[in-house]
Amino acid sequence: MFALKNIKYYYFKSVKKIRNFLLSEKSREFLIFLFFFLISTGFWLLQTLKNNYEVEFAIPLQLKNIPDDIVITAELPNELKITLKDKGTILLNYMLTQSFYPIVIDFNEYKSKGSHVKIATHNLEKRIINQLDASTKLINIKTDTIDFIYSRGSAKKLPVRLQGDISAGRQYYIPDTICSPDSVVVYAPKSILDKMNFAYSQRLHLVGITDTATIKVPFIPIKGVKYIPNTLTVTFPVDLFTEKTLEVPLIGTNFPTDKILRTFPSKVKVTFQVGLNRFKYIHPQHFVLDISYDKLINSTTEKYKVIFKSLPKGISHVRISPEQVDFLIEQVSNGN
């Protein structure tokens, strides 16, 4: 109840202050000044709008009656820029009412012109003038020619190729690049399709990423070519490097049945960097060593430098300890 009384008090107090201000001498002078200022501004504006001006407008363009077997590979422009001259009042009316109807291009009128249709814009002048007031002059059409390209059932499925500079941040790496889709359907005139072997993406610059990124990349635009779909979704999974050490046994290959290999030590420590996601999947048997009998028998020393024939996928910065081991080839007696 107390709060309601306070609100009423401040409300009536504010109303009283506003009323007193409006009825004051200074307020009346200000309102009279504002009244005449608005009247003079209105007269000035009306006088100004009686002058002639040149203003640029845009008229929409539309293409209709496209057959079902036709694919438009290079679209008609969305609009046509024109310059009109008239009194300001007329031009202002065009601006406020947006009264221009689209200029419709009938595909059937141009289907005999080939797959690349070019239309001289001066042929459209009559359609533009029909929408204007009698006093309005069409001064200029910004472009001399508009065009569109279409394909009649000519299509080709092409593999995609991602282009760009992609790298992970420090202590991170990108184990894979996933492109979806891996191929696209390309529509174009046969003369263009015959020269295309891949659908190339626009260049992507992505440096120092530290988290998985999914990006939509458009294809390189080629006049007369339409891609379905028109974008490539690329995912870069990012993983954090960690270090792992395994003991890998030294096992000879291609040894005769009566000979065996002994090394000192019998195992080497292999330390490497691997992503956290693959850490638990890397085991000693995944490291293939190059310890063939022929290589050892022809060695001029009794030391073998440990060399890997193949390494697991996704590891880097491999270090071996010790890098060299002593070896001995023993003869196995037939009785053993």
Side-chain angles (χ1 to χ4, degrees):
M1 190 69 181
F2 175 76
L4 183 60
K5 285 182 178 179
N6 282 342
I7 292 172
K8 287 182 178 180
Y9 171 76
Y10 287 112
Y11 169 76
F12 288 116
K13 187 176 181 180
S14 300
V15 170
K16 186 177 180 180
K17 283 184 177 181
I18 294 171
R19 183 181 62 189
N20 291 338
F21 171 75
L22 292 175
L23 295 176
S24 67
E25 187 67 27
K26 289 183 179 180
S27 174
R28 284 198 298 271
E29 290 176 0
F30 172 75
L31 291 174
I32 291 170
F33 167 78
L34 183 62
F35 173 74
F36 284 106
F37 174 77
L38 292 174
I39 289 177
S40 60
T41 301
F43 280 122
W44 172 82
L45 183 61
L46 289 173
Q47 187 63 35
T48 301
L49 289 175
K50 288 181 180 179
N51 298 329
N52 287 333
Y53 298 95
E54 292 185 8
V55 178
E56 185 176 87
F57 293 90
I59 295 186
L61 290 173
Q62 290 181 1
L63 185 63
K64 71 170 187 178
N65 295 330
I66 303 171
D68 293 338
D69 63 336
I70 293 295
V71 177
I72 304 299
T73 56
E75 300 283 350
L76 195 71
N78 292 326
E79 57 188 22
L80 194 62
K81 299 286 187 181
I82 60 172
T83 302
L84 303 180
K85 183 177 182 179
D86 207 335
K87 291 181 179 180
T89 52
I90 303 298
L91 297 176
L92 183 62
N93 181 60
Y94 291 143
M95 293 178 188
L96 296 177
T97 60
Q98 298 180 349
S99 56
F100 296 121
Y101 295 105
I103 295 178
V104 178
I105 306 296
D106 191 340
F107 180 88
N108 292 324
E109 293 181 12
Y110 298 94
K111 62 184 180 181
S112 61
K113 303 293 184 180
S115 59
H116 189 175
V117 177
K118 297 181 179 181
I119 305 170
T121 53
H122 67 79
N123 294 328
L124 306 176
E125 286 184 10
K126 187 175 180 181
R127 298 197 217 178
I128 298 172
I129 292 171
N130 286 341
Q131 298 192 51
L132 305 177
D133 283 8
S135 61
T136 306
K137 291 182 180 180
L138 175 62
I139 301 299
N140 179 51
I141 300 177
K142 193 169 185 179
T143 181
D144 294 330
T145 307
I146 56 175
D147 66 342
F148 64 92
I149 301 174
Y150 67 90
S151 173
R152 189 184 295 274
S154 296
K156 191 176 183 181
K157 191 172 184 179
L158 296 177
V160 301
R161 287 292 182 270
L162 178 67
Q163 299 187 111
D165 304 308
I166 300 98
S167 64
R170 189 176 179 183
Q171 294 299 316
Y172 292 85
Y173 80 110
I174 302 171
D176 198 4
T177 300
I178 305 167
C179 295
S180 178
D182 57 4
S183 60
V184 294
V185 177
V186 180
Y187 290 90
K190 191 173 183 304
S191 58
I192 297 178
L193 277 181
D194 290 344
K195 298 176 183 177
M196 297 182 67
N197 296 314
F198 300 99
Y200 291 98
S201 76
Q202 294 187 21
R203 291 196 68 83
L204 179 63
H205 184 72
L206 202 63
V207 177
I209 58 175
T210 58
D211 198 5
T212 297
T214 299
I215 300 173
K216 286 188 178 293
V217 187
F219 293 100
I220 291 179
I222 301 174
K223 193 173 180 66
V225 174
K226 184 173 184 177
Y227 302 93
I228 298 180
N230 59 5
T231 57
L232 176 65
T233 301
V234 189
T235 300
F236 302 101
V238 177
D239 200 2
L240 179 65
F241 272 125
T242 187
E243 196 166 83
K244 185 173 184 176
T245 299
L246 293 173
E247 286 192 335
V248 178
L250 299 171
I251 301 173
T253 58
N254 300 323
F255 270 67
T257 56
D258 60 343
K259 290 182 173 55
I260 60 171
L261 172 67
R262 296 194 186 280
T263 62
F264 308 96
S266 60
K267 296 179 179 180
V268 291
K269 288 184 177 180
V270 181
T271 303
F272 52 91
Q273 286 188 344
V274 63
L276 283 175
N277 290 334
R278 291 184 54 80
F279 185 89
K280 63 182 179 180
Y281 299 109
I282 306 296
H283 302 291
Q285 61 267 29
H286 296 139
F287 294 83
V288 179
L289 294 163
D290 185 12
I291 319 179
S292 67
Y293 175 78
D294 292 338
K295 192 168 188 176
L296 295 180
I297 203 69
N298 293 319
S299 175
T300 57
T301 69
E302 294 182 352
K303 287 190 175 293
Y304 162 68
K305 184 177 181 180
V306 181
I307 299 173
F308 288 106
K309 196 172 184 180
S310 67
L311 295 169
K313 183 181 178 182
I315 72 168
S316 62
H317 299 86
V318 180
R319 305 190 305 277
I320 306 166
S321 179
E323 293 183 351
Q324 292 186 343
V325 297
D326 295 318
F327 73 91
L328 179 65
I329 298 177
E330 286 188 356
Q331 181 77 33
V332 180
S333 63
N334 293 330
N336 292 341

